Amino acid sequence: MLRVAITSFGFACDSKIFVSKDRLFFAAFFHDIGKFKLDQKLLNARRKLTAEEMRYVKTHAVEGSKLLKHFKNISKIVKFHHENYDGSGYYGLKSNLIPLESQIIRIVDVYDSLTHKRPYKDSLNAALAIKIMVDESKNFNPMLLELFINHITKSRKYKSVR
C-alpha cells in the first residue's frame, strides 16, 4: 500500500495534477485496508478464484470505505478505486463521476500489481505493464493514462521492450 501511495503522490506532483496531495496520499495508502477484513488464505490463493470468491474479494473496497467512514472524502476515494473509466468497474461509475483521486489510484494500483510479484503471478517489467495498460485503456482516464506513461517512462526503471 505504501508503494501505491508514494507512486500516486509522485505522479500527481510530477504531472501537476490539481488534487489535494495529502488526501491522495492518505487514500492511496489505505486503498486496500478493507482486505484486512477478508479471508487472508483466499486473498493469497495461488489459483484462479471462482466467480463467488471474486465477488467476496471485491467487497474490500466497500469494507475499506466503512473503516474510513469518519474521513468522508477519503472513504469515497477508497470505495471507488476499482472503477473503470468506461463504467465497467465495481459500482458502475464512469468517467468524471469517479473521483479524480480514485482514478489516479486505479492507474497506479494496476501498474503496481503488474510490476510486483504476487502469490498467483510473477512480476512484469515496466514496459510490458504499460503495454497491457494501453491494451486495456478503456479502464482508465485517457489523459491520466498518458500522463502516467510519461511519468513512468521518465524514470530510470523503464526499459523499452522494443
Side-chain angles (χ1 to χ4, degrees), residues 41-53:
K41 287 180 185 173
L42 185 62
L43 290 176
N44 293 312
R46 294 178 184 265
R47 61 175 173 77
K48 184 175 169 113
L49 301 180
T50 66
E52 184 178 330
E53 289 169 332

Side-chain angles (χ1 to χ4, degrees), residues 29-137:
F29 185 80
F30 288 108
H31 76 280
D32 277 344
I33 194 169
K35 287 184 177 179
F36 289 114
K37 295 188 83 175
L38 304 184
D39 179 350
Q40 298 303 300
K41 287 180 185 173
L42 185 62
L43 290 176
N44 293 312
R46 294 178 184 265
R47 61 175 173 77
K48 184 175 169 113
L49 301 180
T50 66
E52 184 178 330
E53 289 169 332
M54 276 306 300
R55 277 192 298 280
Y56 170 72
V57 169
K58 286 179 177 182
T59 66
H60 84 276
V62 75
E63 291 299 329
S65 180
K66 288 177 188 175
L67 287 170
L68 298 167
K69 67 184 174 193
H70 297 293
F71 304 95
K72 296 218 183 297
N73 289 332
I74 304 299
S75 174
K76 182 178 177 181
I77 295 166
V78 167
K79 181 176 181 180
F80 298 121
H81 80 275
H82 277 290
E83 291 306 289
N84 291 331
Y85 201 69
D86 69 350
S88 65
Y90 287 12
Y91 302 103
L93 289 185
K94 67 190 299 188
S95 67
N96 294 330
L97 295 176
I98 306 165
L100 185 57
E101 295 91 340
S102 299
Q103 294 179 48
I104 293 168
I105 293 168
R106 176 77 173 127
I107 289 172
V108 173
D109 190 31
V110 168
Y111 178 79
D112 185 77
S113 179
L114 290 169
T115 58
H116 289 86
K117 187 172 175 47
R118 298 288 194 259
Y120 50 87
K121 68 160 206 64
D122 287 330
S123 64
L124 303 176
N125 67 43
L128 189 51
I130 287 172
K131 181 187 180 319
I132 290 168
M133 292 174 74
V134 168
D135 290 346
E136 298 176 2
S137 62

